[in-house]
Amino acid sequence: MHTAAPPTANRRRRNLIIAAIATLVVLVTYVITTTLTASAADTLISQGKPALSSSDENAGTPASAAFDGNTTGTRWSSAFSDPQWIRVDLGQTATISQVKLFWEAAYATAYQIQTSNDGNTWTNVYSTTTSTGGTQTLSVTGSGRYVRMNGTARATGYGYSLYEFQVFGSFPTNPTSGPCNTATNAAQGKTATASSIENAGTPASAAVDGNGGTRWSSAASDPQWLSVDLGSTQSICQVTINWEAAYGKDFQIQTSADGNTWATIKTVTGGTGGNQVLSGLSGSGRYIRLYGTARGTGYGYSAWEFIVNTGGTGPTTSSPSPTTSPTPTPTGPQLPGGGDLGSNVIVFDPSQSSATIQAKLDQVFTQQEQNQFGNERYQFLFKPGSYSGLNAQIGFYTSINGLGQNPQDVQIHGDITVDAGWMQGNATQNFWRSAENLSIYPVSGVDRWAVAQAAPFRRIDVHGGMTLASPNCGWASGGYIADSRISGNINPCSQQQWFTRDSTIGSWNGSVWNMVFSGVQGAPANSFPNPPYTTLPTSPVTQEKPYLYADASGYRVFVPSQRTNSSGATWINGQTPGTSLPLSQFYVAKPGVTAATLNQAVAQGLNLLFTPGVYHLGSTVNINRAGTVVLGLGYATIVADNGALPMAVGDVDGVKIASLLFDAGPTNSPALLQVGPNGAGGNHAGAPNLVSDVFLRVGGAGAAKVTNALVVNNNNTIIDHIWSWRADHGAGAGWTSNPADTGLIVNGQNVTAYGLFVEHFEKYNVIWNGNGGKTIFFQNELPYDPPSAAAWSHDGITGYAAYKVANTVTSHEAWGMGSYCVFTSDESIAAYHSYETPVNANVKFHNILTVSLGKGSITHVINDTGDAALPSSVTPHNVVSFP
């Protein structure tokens, strides 16, 4: 039985029906409108794509958050300054029809939407100076691989902040699929590149020349690759590899549209070589490569022919235009490898008279002795042989190297000297000079190397002893020896701290505050703090720096192999294990080169060799190819122009960055060197990235700004000797004229650092966010110039720690760390502590100390532990173990 509802209920029901109908109309209208809008704007093509920004406010607001599809919960936000930008890499050139911006409260009043094919040259497709924020839908007409919001005026005192940045458009149509054309080898005669070649007779091109009697063969190491540019995008259906006896056991076949981002279409494990046919493949790309991860023999990878069959009779499309950021596709004329090293590389031969050689050494030293912030750069190279009667005095921005494969191949019967006469015996400013890969027979039996930071002494065989200070034992502060043998005694004299790694020494006599030895045969026993020796018998995981040498075929670069639990020099019991690369596999860079050219070189498969000089880069050099070597000569210096991040490494294996000085410019850069993209997650334990003798400078040579000098995102990276320095003297040195937050941020897991010299940054000098990290030796001075305790405080704490392990870290270990203060602007400042860490049994500190150098104080050593370092004593305050 149905009972009539009361009138009130009827009215309510009628209202609900009307409301439901209205809602339905709205929904239908919304669906129609949305469909029409989406149709008009093509499809969303930016979501989840790689993103980059001029700066991030903090780790919780990265550029990637603006492309994650979350329009209300996550966001990108920038530093509080103008201009700032955020860009997305679409992966290939697209036609752009619409952009949507979902602004947070901190929006832009003036900005441009820009497109670019190369990440360097930008075209405006939209511009406004009257933006009101909110959600903005912009109809645009343009094309490009990269799309950027370039903000020029903020609406608030905060930075720029976007919940989401959506780009709508379309990509070129891919070729249609058809029967697999096994009659034609699409790779034959095409441009081929490789990670390495065994010798000049086995080039990459030999694997695609159609001749079964010629072959490509690689260096005897993993990984290695062979890449072919098919000239246009193709559908791949079959690959045949005609292996020589040295075959690949484990490898992948990969394709790419741009030679940068690779997709695996076939994985082979346990291969047995022979004539290997891989059929039934499904993938497309302009580039195809064989990527070997495990060799079947002790030799390299070797293929008589690499045959590619395509399936598609429909039209093909042109590949995207070459790009410079990330690494471009190598179209047009190929850049040459090898070449002249330039006039500032000075090569000596044993046939030259000692007087001629000495005159040139003296001429350069006279110019460079006091040239602390000049632009001149020099590299001395000694060909194998014996040289007598020389005293090579080494000044600023000067490197002296032997050209033998081993140190004994070049014998200097004389001295290689660093003194400090120009500062009346004070060696605390003897920066930016080096010696490498030769033998020294000192005239008096003792060689003098009175240096401070950024002055490595590597692969040296000293037939005698060493002293590390001036004859009067004047002030000296910091230094580094690695992969060397010193047969006699080393006397550090006045050196406040020193780090020696993987070497062999006769003896060591003397200490001040912090002497650290890792894998050093002949080192004194661990006895910190009295005397303050920290000694580790072995180094956990190491790889020595690549170096230039010469043989009968010409210049080559040797890349030493990775070692674990190592001690002693690599060359004492025979040749250093590793891989030799001819100079023809390097693009030889000279000042004036552009980032676009350097990126093209990397895309071609070339490594980079920077000759001495100063390089101004206004956009990023992207090292996105596994195994790339980037090596500098004579303190080659890379300057960040226009707020650029001058160099970035991809989430790839085995990249080596060595012997470079990075300089911040007057426009703020997010970083000077970034190893791995934000969120990098690859496991690189088998082939770590290496950062070796890399020095980063903010100010001194002029006003400069950077947010974080060095950022390491890649897992398993080895950091081997850096000096990250916010200048305390020179031009542009002051709290507001060379601002910089942090000298080193480590986000990667299982990163190992040796010889960290990080000084004077305005916030935390080092922030360690990744688990499994290890640091052996740390030298730090807190900033000299905080204007007051109030201006240099956070969260109720005076000052920022020199070395902070993030609260989320559950495993970390550090040995031999010293942090000092001298507060020249306000001597009353009492920094709360120098080391800040979560209290966890697996987060361990060994042999750490603080010192006041006479102005200001440090209340505790680590967290709330350790005595105060007061200015009256100028003595170390030690903590042997924490927790």
Side-chain angles (χ1 to χ4, degrees):
M1 178 182 293
H2 177 71
T3 305
T8 314
N10 283 331
R11 286 197 301 270
R12 185 179 299 119
R13 183 179 295 117
R14 187 165 56 248
N15 290 339
L16 288 173
I17 292 171
I18 293 169
I21 292 171
T23 301
L24 182 60
V25 170
V26 170
L27 288 173
V28 171
T29 303
Y30 172 79
V31 170
I32 293 171
T33 303
T34 303
T35 303
L36 290 173
T37 301
S39 175
D42 295 317
T43 57
L44 177 62
I45 58 176
S46 56
Q47 191 164 310
K49 297 294 175 65
L52 187 67
S53 61
S54 53
S55 67
D56 298 334
E57 182 183 2
N58 55 59
T61 59
S64 59
F67 300 95
D68 62 4
N70 187 341
T71 59
T72 57
T74 61
R75 64 187 177 96
W76 163 72
S77 60
S78 76
F80 302 173
S81 61
D82 295 311
Q84 299 290 339
W85 52 261
I86 180 172
R87 79 174 194 202
V88 63
D89 176 1
L90 301 174
Q92 61 177 303
T93 300
T95 299
I96 313 300
S97 57
Q98 189 181 91
V99 167
K100 285 188 178 181
L101 301 177
F102 297 77
W103 291 103
E104 195 248 2
Y107 65 94
T109 56
Y111 66 90
Q112 301 90 44
I113 301 299
Q114 302 172 319
T115 61
S116 173
N117 285 326
D118 59 9
N120 182 35
T121 303
W122 295 90
T123 300
N124 286 351
V125 296
Y126 178 83
S127 181
T128 181
T129 57
T130 58
S131 169
T132 56
T135 299
Q136 297 178 312
T137 301
L138 313 173
S139 295
V140 299
T141 301
S143 66
R145 172 174 171 165
Y146 303 89
V147 182
R148 177 169 83 168
M149 188 288 295
N150 185 48
T152 55
R154 292 163 293 143
T156 72
Y158 298 96
Y160 297 84
S161 183
L162 281 168
Y163 284 118
E164 200 71 5
F165 180 1
Q166 295 181 342
V167 179
F168 294 83
S170 61
F171 296 109
T173 304
N174 284 330
T176 61
S177 294
C180 191
N181 179 9
T182 57
T184 303
N185 179 6
Q188 187 169 321
K190 298 296 172 48
T191 301
T193 56
S195 53
S196 67
I197 58 173
E198 183 182 3
N199 56 59
T202 59
S205 58
V208 293
D209 61 1
N211 184 347
T214 60
R215 64 187 176 97
W216 162 70
S217 59
S218 76
S221 63
D222 296 306
Q224 299 290 340
W225 53 260
L226 172 74
S227 176
V228 182
D229 178 359
L230 301 177
S232 62
T233 301
Q234 305 281 341
S235 290
I236 311 300
C237 57
Q238 181 172 289
V239 166
T240 301
I241 308 166
N242 186 4
W243 292 106
E244 194 248 2
Y247 64 94
K249 183 179 70 172
D250 297 344
F251 61 90
Q252 293 99 48
I253 302 299
Q254 301 175 327
T255 60
S256 174
D258 59 7
N260 174 41
T261 302
W262 295 89
T264 298
I265 61 172
K266 180 69 174 179
T267 298
V268 175
T269 57
T272 57
N275 194 40
Q276 196 163 13
V277 180
L278 308 173
S279 58
L281 303 183
S282 179
S284 66
R286 171 173 171 163
Y287 299 87
I288 183 167
R289 75 176 177 181
L290 162 66
Y291 186 80
T293 55
R295 291 161 290 139
T297 72
Y299 298 96
Y301 297 83
S302 183
W304 297 111
E305 279 297 294
F306 182 60
I307 299 168
V308 179
N309 301 127
T310 59
T313 55
T316 60
T317 59
S318 300
S319 64
S321 301
T323 61
T324 60
S325 176
T327 309
T329 57
T331 60
Q334 299 289 283
L335 296 170
D340 173 50
L341 299 182
S343 60
N344 282 12
V345 174
I346 300 165
V347 182
F348 298 119
D349 187 281
S351 64
Q352 294 176 275
S353 71
S354 296
T356 298
I357 297 173
Q358 189 65 55
K360 189 63 178 179
L361 294 171
D362 290 346
Q363 175 192 342
V364 172
F365 177 69
T366 298
Q367 175 182 297
Q368 297 301 103
E369 182 182 13
Q370 301 184 46
N371 194 17
Q372 185 170 178
F373 296 110
N375 290 324
E376 293 75 18
R377 306 286 187 268
Y378 292 97
Q379 173 74 63
F380 294 131
L381 297 176
F382 284 77
K383 291 183 178 180
S386 181
Y387 301 80
S388 299
L390 299 179
N391 180 20
Q393 299 186 80
I394 306 300
F396 285 102
Y397 312 112
T398 306
S399 298
I400 181 169
N401 295 45
L403 279 175
Q405 189 159 359
N406 295 300
Q408 302 97 326
D409 296 338
V410 175
Q411 301 173 13
I412 306 294
H413 293 269
D415 295 284
I416 294 178
T417 303
V418 177
D419 206 338
W422 71 287
M423 284 191 71
Q424 294 73 52
N426 178 351
T428 59
Q429 292 185 32
N430 278 354
F431 313 136
W432 304 307
R433 62 201 75 198
S434 67
E436 182 175 356
N437 195 36
L438 42 74
S439 297
I440 307 173
Y441 296 78
V443 172
S444 67
V446 178
D447 196 63
R448 186 176 304 281
W449 191 253
V451 298
Q453 291 75 30
F457 193 84
R458 285 186 181 268
R459 285 182 70 82
I460 306 289
D461 191 7
V462 180
H463 294 258
M466 288 184 71
T467 183
L468 306 180
S470 292
N472 64 349
C473 267
W475 290 349
S477 176
Y480 175 91
I481 294 172
D483 200 25
S484 294
R485 176 173 61 186
I486 294 90
S487 63
N489 178 68
I490 300 177
N491 178 10
C493 199
S494 55
Q495 283 286 351
Q496 296 163 351
Q497 66 277 312
W498 194 276
F499 180 53
T500 308
R501 181 187 61 72
D502 288 84
S503 295
T504 301
I505 66 176
S507 59
W508 183 284
N509 181 26
S511 60
V512 179
W513 294 332
N514 190 35
M515 304 290 156
V516 180
F517 308 86
S518 180
V520 178
Q521 299 170 0
N526 185 70
S527 57
F528 187 91
N530 189 24
Y533 296 145
T534 298
T535 302
L536 286 74
T538 61
S539 301
V541 54
T542 58
Q543 187 167 29
E544 298 301 332
K545 185 184 80 66
Y547 61 91
L548 186 73
Y549 75 105
D551 63 11
S553 66
Y555 289 118
R556 303 181 71 88
V557 171
F558 195 82
V559 183
S561 298
Q562 179 183 342
R563 299 201 294 171
T564 56
N565 300 319
S566 57
S567 70
T570 61
W571 46 267
I572 288 178
N573 297 317
Q575 184 170 300
T576 299
T579 301
S580 179
L581 305 175
L583 193 64
S584 61
Q585 293 185 16
F586 285 77
Y587 177 76
V588 178
K590 296 182 173 65
V593 69
T594 64
T597 298
L598 296 170
N599 278 320
Q600 183 185 348
V602 174
Q604 282 180 209
L606 294 173
N607 304 290
L608 301 179
L609 182 73
F610 288 86
T611 60
V614 178
Y615 297 76
H616 287 267
L617 297 179
S619 59
T620 304
V621 177
N622 287 278
I623 313 299
N624 289 331
R625 195 188 72 245
T628 304
V629 176
V630 181
L631 178 64
L633 299 178
Y635 282 81
T637 302
I638 294 175
V639 181
D641 281 354
N642 304 320
L645 165 61
M647 188 170 290
V649 177
D651 194 358
V652 296
D653 282 350
V655 172
K656 319 299 176 193
I657 310 289
S659 297
L660 289 172
L661 171 60
F662 289 88
D663 244 339
T667 301
N668 188 73
S669 293
L672 298 178
L673 173 62
Q674 181 172 304
V675 181
N678 294 337
N683 184 340
H684 307 297
N689 293 170
L690 175 66
V691 177
S692 186
D693 292 349
V694 168
F695 310 120
L696 308 111
R697 181 170 67 182
V698 188
K705 300 177 181 179
V706 72
T707 304
N708 307 303
L710 172 60
V711 179
V712 176
N713 293 320
N714 276 352
N715 298 329
N716 314 105
T717 300
I718 299 172
I719 304 171
D720 182 32
H721 189 216
I722 65 167
W723 185 34
S724 189
W725 184 61
R726 177 182 164 263
D728 59 90
H729 64 275
W735 192 252
T736 57
S737 57
N738 65 331
D741 287 353
T742 304
L744 168 65
I745 295 179
V746 177
N747 296 317
Q749 311 294 311
N750 303 311
V751 172
T752 303
Y754 304 93
L756 294 186
F757 297 78
V758 186
E759 299 189 294
H760 308 307
F761 287 85
E762 294 182 339
K763 293 183 179 177
Y764 296 110
N765 278 251
V766 173
I767 301 174
W768 206 292
N769 293 316
N771 275 313
K774 292 182 173 67
T775 293
I776 302 174
F777 184 86
F778 173 66
Q779 187 264 324
N780 165 262
E781 283 184 346
L782 295 171
Y784 287 177
D785 52 347
S788 66
W792 192 53
S793 295
H794 70 100
D795 302 317
I797 296 174
T798 299
Y800 288 81
Y803 189 100
K804 175 179 173 58
V805 179
N807 295 335
T808 54
V809 171
T810 57
S811 59
H812 186 86
E813 196 159 9
W815 296 261
M817 310 179 79
S819 174
Y820 320 131
C821 76
V822 49
F823 299 127
T824 55
S825 295
D826 182 354
E827 297 181 28
S828 70
I829 293 175
Y832 191 74
H833 50 214
S834 280
Y835 310 94
E836 184 176 316
T837 178
V839 179
N840 184 306
N842 292 319
V843 179
K844 306 172 185 178
F845 285 76
H846 312 275
N847 303 353
I848 63 176
L849 66 130
T850 59
V851 177
S852 169
L853 299 178
K855 295 182 179 181
S857 61
I858 303 171
T859 305
H860 297 292
V861 178
I862 182 167
N863 289 4
D864 301 326
T865 299
D867 296 337
L870 300 175
S872 56
S873 59
V874 193
T875 57
H877 293 262
N878 307 300
V879 170
V880 175
S881 180
F882 186 90

